[in-house]
Amino acid sequence: MSFPSTLLARFGLTLLGLYGVGCASVDPRPSFDSVRALTASRLGAEVGWRQDHDALATANRRVGEILAAPLSADGAVEVALLRNPRLQARLEELGIAQADLAQASLLANPHLSVARLDAQGSASGRQTTLALEIQVLDWLVQPLRRRMAERDLERVRFEIGHAILETAAEARNALVETEAAEQLIGRLQLIAEIDRTAAEFSEKLFDAGNLGALELAQSRAAWAQTQADIAMAKAEARRLRERVNRALGLFGEDIAWTSPTELPELPPTEVDLSGLESLAMRQRLDLAAGRSAVDAIGKALALKKGTRFFPVGIDLGVETEKELDGVRITGPTLKLQIPIFDTGRASVARLESQLRQARWMLEAMAVDARSEVREKRDDLIAARDRTSFFSEALLPLRAQILDLTLRHYNMMLRGTYDVLLARQREVEAERGYIMALRDYWLARGALERAAAGRLDAPGKEVN
């Protein structure tokens, strides 16, 4: 049984028009491009999304080029943005949110119902009923539902951007700590060599009767302790290398990367650290995601309040029926689901609580962000002061003491043991400088992380 041609034409045009209005793309690439541009301006490196074989091959080639040279902090960030599997998993949330937006842009499918009734008793014949219905309420709220999905996609973009910045920060910090650990091993090996020489010298003095057993044991213990320190430092360096491998997503032959033998020196001047709180409020993507969440819940609440007294369901359609006597009856149908028992009061109350909760959480995040910026700024200043103390005061003094000790040794006013001790203390001061320099670069990275942007612009010196 078929509809009359005019009725079919009208319904076909209506459905095609509604489909055209509701159609939305499921391609997440535009959202990814916006996230990539947003984070590249903060990191100086672009994230890669390995969705297919070509993208995977391109990423692997670039990673190979970076790992062929000593791995710098910027190189580690770039590799992590291309290879970290957890970050790649987070990027797929863009595809999920884009699909949700496309789904929210669609109208509910129409309902088609068919009934065929056979006459019983003295009557004979067959009655056929055919009906087509669309959900009008879904059509009315579809624009609001789409806007809510758009806000949710925006929130996901900000969250993914924040995850990208976190991944970059972890890669940079892991490499800095690894470089410091490997540089420390070099200093410990120098101390071990000095302690070995001191122990051998003590052996000769003891054999000549010029040194007691206690002093000999102390010299041997110092050498043994330094060897133990080296073993522990090597184990720590191996552990930190694995942290780098995890942050960068490396395995197989790629874990044979090398890094510079020395940490970067302290910059001669510090960047301008004023106004970082305001900068963080503008740039932090977790705060932007929180604001989007508040806005999305607000729109959901407005939608619920605006439609709570509407019929829960409004179905509009057309029905055609052929009677037993051959007469066809055709006309519109309307079905309403009336909100008598469930008026939406509970749903409104829930959304109101969720909106207040989201606002308080956003305020808490802003307070924490401001405090974090101040804390990391103070850490950076303190780390710079410590590093400057080692490089400008302690290290020159230790070098001067060693030089004077050597002069006294040449004048036979100091012994070999005094020279070795002065050299050992100089190397220990260098060890302290390495730790202070490591803390500076970690503090700088933490401040960049808190402010959601790099601190590359030249500025005034920190007093």
Side-chain angles (χ1 to χ4, degrees), residues 334-455:
L334 176 65
K335 292 182 181 179
L336 302 178
Q337 186 178 351
I338 304 174
I340 296 178
F341 303 109
D342 182 5
T343 61
R345 180 181 178 184
S347 298
V348 169
R350 177 182 177 84
L351 285 170
E352 287 176 341
S353 293
Q354 288 179 329
L355 180 58
R356 289 191 296 269
Q357 181 187 50
R359 286 172 175 169
W360 284 119
M361 289 300 298
L362 178 59
E363 183 174 341
M365 291 170 61
V367 170
D368 290 346
R370 290 180 179 274
S371 176
E372 184 182 2
V373 168
R374 293 192 300 268
E375 178 186 0
K376 302 308 179 184
R377 178 196 60 200
D378 294 342
D379 288 346
L380 178 65
I381 294 173
R384 185 180 182 89
D385 289 342
R386 287 196 303 272
T387 308
S388 297
F389 168 76
F390 274 97
S391 62
E392 298 173 6
L394 187 57
L395 283 176
L397 285 174
R398 287 300 180 191
Q400 182 183 15
I401 291 172
L402 177 59
D403 180 66
L404 292 174
T405 303
L406 287 171
R407 293 182 183 183
H408 289 176
Y409 174 78
N410 293 333
M411 292 184 292
M412 303 181 66
L413 299 176
R414 287 288 187 272
T416 305
Y417 188 77
D418 296 319
V419 175
L420 294 174
L421 182 61
R423 177 55 179 159
Q424 182 184 41
R425 289 177 176 173
E426 183 191 35
V427 175
E428 287 175 349
E430 292 179 0
R431 176 184 180 183
Y433 171 72
I434 293 171
M435 295 297 97
L437 189 59
R438 177 204 63 184
D439 293 343
Y440 169 81
W441 288 112
L442 291 177
R444 186 183 177 98
L447 181 57
E448 291 180 340
R449 185 176 184 177
R454 299 189 64 173
L455 307 177

Side-chain angles (χ1 to χ4, degrees), residues 151-177:
R151 297 300 296 176
D152 190 61
L153 176 59
E154 183 182 55
R155 175 187 59 80
V156 171
R157 285 200 296 263
F158 288 134
E159 289 180 349
I160 297 302
H162 182 66
I164 292 171
L165 298 183
E166 292 288 301
T167 300
E170 170 60 16
R172 187 181 297 274
N173 290 345
L175 185 65
V176 167
E177 293 205 35

